[in-house]
């Protein structure tokens, strides 16, 4: 059985790690009420950080519910996600989504992120591969 916990190694832990993702975001995944910024890492597994501001989600109970759902989604999808650092940001109106809608939204965002990372890595590999000479 695989480990589906949410240990410290799966989290962005300090301001410098968040700042690196904001400054070097290679991927932006938009969802209804959510935005995920991601930058590649060398750790071999994804890490996630959450930014749910009081400006966008007024009530603490709503912020905590949203953070709990995002952590749960990452925990379940951690083995499918590429080695990237992800910061999930809230937007106005996200607290109005119900749990099922939010789960579907997050699942779609992780699939798009996985596809975008795969596409970029394939493009990088094809650029590094020399073309055969025409002799």
């Amino acid at each position: 059985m695989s480990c589906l916990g949410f240990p410290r190694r799966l989290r962005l832990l300090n301001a410098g790690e968040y700042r690196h993702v904001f400054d070097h975001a290679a991927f932006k995944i938009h969802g209804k009420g959510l935005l995920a910024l991601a930058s590649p890492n060398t750790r071999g597994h994804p890490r996630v950080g959450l930014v749910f501001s009081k400006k966008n989600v007024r009530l603490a109970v709503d912020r905590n519910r949203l953070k709990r759902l995002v952590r749960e989604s990452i925990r379940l999808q951690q083995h499918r996600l590429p080695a990237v650092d992800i910061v999930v940001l809230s937007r106005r109106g996200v607290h109005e989504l119900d749990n099922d809608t939010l789960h579907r939204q997050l699942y779609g965002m992780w699939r798009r992120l996985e596809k975008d990372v795969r596409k970029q890595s394939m493009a990088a590999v094809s650029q590094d591969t020399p073309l055969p000479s025409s002799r």
Side-chain angles (χ1 to χ4, degrees):
M1 187 168 134
S2 62
C3 174
L4 290 178
F6 193 68
R8 285 177 63 90
R9 69 179 185 84
L10 292 180
R11 301 181 222 157
L12 297 177
L13 297 174
N14 58 47
E17 293 172 343
Y18 279 85
R19 176 61 43 210
H20 184 269
V21 175
F22 284 122
D23 292 343
H24 301 98
F27 307 100
K28 289 183 182 181
I29 308 298
H30 297 273
K32 182 177 174 129
L34 295 172
L35 170 66
L37 303 175
S39 71
N41 70 30
T42 58
R43 296 179 184 259
H45 57 82
R47 297 188 309 165
V48 69
L50 306 172
V51 179
F52 288 85
S53 68
K54 194 184 283 190
K55 179 180 177 183
N56 292 329
V57 184
R58 278 312 273 167
L59 299 178
V61 66
D62 289 330
R63 288 193 304 276
N64 291 335
R65 177 182 68 93
L66 294 167
K67 289 190 285 188
R68 188 172 53 248
L69 290 171
V70 172
R71 282 192 300 263
E72 177 73 5
S73 177
I74 286 287
R75 187 182 70 79
L76 293 174
Q77 298 295 322
Q78 64 183 309
H79 299 294
R80 295 187 59 207
L81 291 173
V84 292
D85 290 340
I86 305 165
V87 174
V88 179
L89 299 136
S90 66
R91 294 170 136 178
R92 291 185 192 265
V94 68
H95 67 281
E96 296 169 0
L97 299 176
D98 63 10
N99 291 356
D100 289 335
T101 304
L102 198 58
H103 272 294
R104 284 193 305 274
Q105 186 75 27
L106 289 165
Y107 181 74
M109 288 173 66
W110 306 145
R111 282 192 19 218
R112 284 195 305 274
L113 176 63
E114 186 180 12
K115 186 174 103 176
D116 290 352
V117 170
R118 192 177 326 115
K119 187 188 308 183
Q120 186 187 46
S121 66
M122 293 302 281
V125 167
S126 67
Q127 288 178 353
D128 291 341
T129 306
L131 295 173
S133 61
S134 57
R135 285 190 177 190

